């Protein structure tokens, strides 16, 4: 079956490992929607650990990047933010990653969205670049959260993903991301 919803969902930490009918989730990324097409191991693992070399803005933590909520955000400090810099996700177990999805609000122009980034994956002893100089164009500059995807040329099995932030809208002095997920 060739449906655009198959394996188009995102991995959500601590999701219980089951769909709405109680069937174990499929191997890899879940389908969009509640019911899943086939059973798998029903992976139910903790959220990835998130770290950043940018530092933290007032009352924010990198943990917000992987908490499963588009309504919490991490922000860098309001002054002294320079690019390039990195945001790293470390997964509890090895997984196939073909795409990194960023969710943000106030991303455009006078906002705080990342506008250019590279993606590296952990190979066990070194970081390997999988995508470089990816341009990100945000369409809004409001509190409405929007998502942008950065695709890798091919899926990579890894325990870590690093976003190399090369540029961002920093009119307010900082950059901010609400959530980072993988597919």
């Amino acid at each position: 079956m060739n449906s655009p919803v198959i394996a188009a969902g995102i991995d959500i930490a601590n999701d219980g490992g089951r769909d709405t009918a109680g069937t174990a989730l499929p191997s890899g990324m879940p389908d969009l929607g509640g019911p899943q097409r086939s059973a798998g191991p029903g992976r139910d693992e903790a959220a990835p650990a998130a770290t950043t070399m940018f530092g933290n803005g007032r009352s924010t933590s990198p943990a917000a990047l992987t908490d499963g909520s588009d309504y919490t955000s991490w922000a860098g400090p309001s002054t002294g933010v320079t690019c390039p810099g990195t945001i790293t996700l470390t997964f509890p177990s090895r997984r196939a990653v073909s795409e990194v999805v960023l969710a943000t609000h106030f991303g455009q122009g006078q906002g705080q969205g990342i506008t250019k980034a590279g993606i590296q994956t952990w190979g066990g002893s070194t970081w390997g670049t999988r995508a470089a100089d990816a341009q990100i164009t945000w369409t809004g500059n409001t509190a409405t959260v929007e998502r942008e995807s950065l695709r890798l040329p091919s899926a990579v099995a890894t325990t870590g993903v690093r976003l190399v932030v090369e540029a961002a809208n920093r009119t307010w002095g900082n950059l901010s991301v609400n959530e980072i997920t993988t597919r």
Side-chain angles (χ1 to χ4, degrees):
M1 182 168 163
N2 291 329
S3 171
V5 303
I6 292 177
I10 57 175
D11 187 26
I12 299 173
N14 302 311
D15 61 7
R18 304 246 171 221
D19 72 2
T20 56
T23 304
L25 295 176
S27 297
M29 291 300 110
D31 302 333
L32 287 179
Q36 300 296 297
R37 72 192 178 293
S38 62
R43 180 176 66 201
D44 181 21
E45 59 186 22
T51 58
T52 176
M53 67 174 287
F54 288 110
N56 301 320
R58 188 173 155 200
S59 301
T60 69
S61 163
L65 295 169
T66 60
D67 67 359
S69 172
D70 285 349
Y71 300 103
T72 56
S73 62
W74 162 84
S78 58
T79 60
V81 173
T82 59
C83 294
T86 60
I87 300 171
T88 304
L89 304 183
T90 304
F91 305 113
S93 63
R94 193 170 187 82
R95 67 179 61 195
V97 175
S98 60
E99 181 175 13
V100 175
V101 182
L102 304 177
T104 198
H105 61 284
F106 297 103
Q108 185 186 55
Q110 297 178 352
Q112 53 200 358
I114 295 170
T115 57
K116 185 177 173 185
I119 299 172
Q120 298 176 339
T121 58
W122 182 247
S125 60
T126 60
W127 290 97
T129 300
R130 304 297 174 201
D133 302 322
Q135 299 292 321
I136 305 166
T137 303
W138 302 103
T139 58
N141 200 32
T142 68
T144 301
V145 175
E146 60 182 304
R147 293 182 178 277
E148 287 294 328
S149 297
L150 303 173
R151 293 190 181 275
L152 280 62
S154 60
V156 176
T158 185
T159 57
V161 170
R162 179 179 282 168
L163 191 66
V164 180
V165 179
E166 299 167 15
N169 292 321
R170 293 177 306 191
T171 303
W172 300 336
N174 65 337
L175 62 100
S176 178
V177 180
N178 291 38
E179 194 74 13
I180 301 176
T181 54
T182 60
R183 292 185 177 147

